[in-house]
Amino acid sequence: MSEPRRSRLIVLAGPTAVGKGTVAAEVRRHHPEVWLSVSATTRDPRPGEENGVHYWFVSDDDFDAMIERGDLLEWATVHGTHRYGTPRGPVELALASGHPAMLEIDLQGARQVRRTMPEALFVFLKPPSWEELVRRLVGRGTETAAQRERRLATAREELAAESEFDVTVVNHEVHAAADELVALMTFDQASAPARGETTTD
Ligand code: 5GP
C-alpha cells in the first residue's frame, strides 16, 4: 500500500526553539476542529500565559500525585529543570469523541507515547538549518546564557532523532508549517468515515 498511514492522534515533537508552540498556536487559531492537549507543568507561567490554556501550572506535589494516580499519558523532565506531562483523560475523551487530536511535547515524551499509542502519527518539526535554530533560540531572549547552552545541547541531540519519526515538517515559516500539519490531518479526515463538519477556513 502506498497510502500514508492514518491516525487521528498527531504527536508533534522537535528540537528546542524550533517553533513547535507557535505552529501549534497557529493550528489552534485556524483549525478549531483540531483538539490540542494542554500539558501540566511545574514551571512558572511566563507573561501572558494562562492556566488551563497554555498549560496547567501545578506544584511539584500535584505533579507527583498525577503520576501516582496514573493520570499522565507521558511525562518528562525537560532541560533538566521542570516536569511536563500530558493529562491522559482529555486525550482519551477527544479521541473517543472523534476529534483529531494533537500533542506538542518533547522527544522523551514522544518516545513514551510511541510505546503506548503506536497508532499515532509522529511528526518531527525541523528547523531550516542549525544556524537558524541558534538564531531563533537567541532571539527568544527569555533564557539565561547557561540555560541557553543547556538548550542548545539538548537541541543537538534532539535533531538526531528525526529518523525515529513518521513524517518531517520543515518550519521555514509558521503558516506553511501549520498548513502542512493540517494537510496530514485533513487527509485523515477526508479518508475517515464522514463525521460532521470539517471546515478549514
Ligand atoms: P516551554 O517551557 O518552553 O513552554 O516548553 C519546554 C518544552 O517542554 C518544549 O520542548 C515542549 O515541547 C515541552 N513540553 C510541553 N508540554 C509537554 C508535555 O506534556 N510532555 C513533554 N514530554 N514535553 C512537553
Side-chain angles (χ1 to χ4, degrees):
M1 287 210 298
S2 59
E3 203 175 87
R5 195 165 58 75
R6 297 193 299 267
S7 173
R8 283 223 182 86
L9 180 63
I10 286 202
V11 178
L12 180 67
T16 298
V18 71
K20 296 188 295 282
T22 314
V23 170
E26 186 75 5
V27 171
R28 179 190 278 124
R29 217 174 0 259
H30 294 292
H31 299 277
E33 75 278 15
V34 177
W35 178 84
L36 283 161
S37 167
V38 179
S39 299
T41 181
T42 58
R43 81 153 164 79
D44 291 333
R46 296 192 184 117
E49 286 183 335
E50 273 179 62
N51 195 40
V53 176
H54 300 92
Y55 284 105
W56 296 106
F57 296 98
V58 301
S59 67
D60 268 309
D61 285 350
D62 288 343
F63 203 94
D64 286 340
M66 291 172 100
I67 295 171
E68 272 163 34
R69 287 195 303 263
D71 284 353
L72 299 177
L73 190 59
E74 60 74 35
W75 69 271
T77 301
V78 181
H79 310 308
T81 50
H82 295 291
R83 291 182 291 175
Y84 297 76
T86 304
R88 180 194 304 277
V91 176
E92 290 176 350
L93 266 179
L95 292 173
S97 66
H99 284 91
M102 189 163 98
L103 315 183
E104 182 259 291
I105 59 179
D106 89 323
L107 181 62
Q108 309 167 74
R111 286 178 174 141
Q112 290 174 49
V113 178
R114 198 175 45 189
R115 283 196 291 275
T116 53
M117 293 182 147
E119 68 282 8
L121 187 71
F122 293 84
V123 181
F124 189 79
L125 190 68
K126 192 180 165 179
S129 66
W130 172 253
E131 290 69 28
E132 178 61 18
L133 184 64
V134 173
R135 200 186 63 76
R136 287 179 193 179
L137 219 152
V138 172
R140 189 153 73 177
T142 49
E143 291 85 25
T144 65
Q147 283 172 328
R148 204 167 59 228
E149 275 314 306
R150 180 154 214 157
R151 285 184 171 223
L152 278 175
T154 306
R156 257 182 229 107
E157 280 173 33
E158 288 176 335
L159 269 181
E162 181 184 352
S163 61
E164 297 173 30
F165 285 73
D166 300 314
V167 183
T168 293
V169 170
V170 180
N171 191 14
H172 289 288
E173 195 274 320
V174 64
H175 297 286
D179 280 355
E180 236 183 284
L181 258 187
V182 170
L184 291 167
M185 299 183 207
T186 306
F187 178 83
D188 181 20
Q189 289 170 1
S191 308
R195 46 154 215 88
E197 53 179 352
T198 55
T199 49
T200 54
D201 56 324

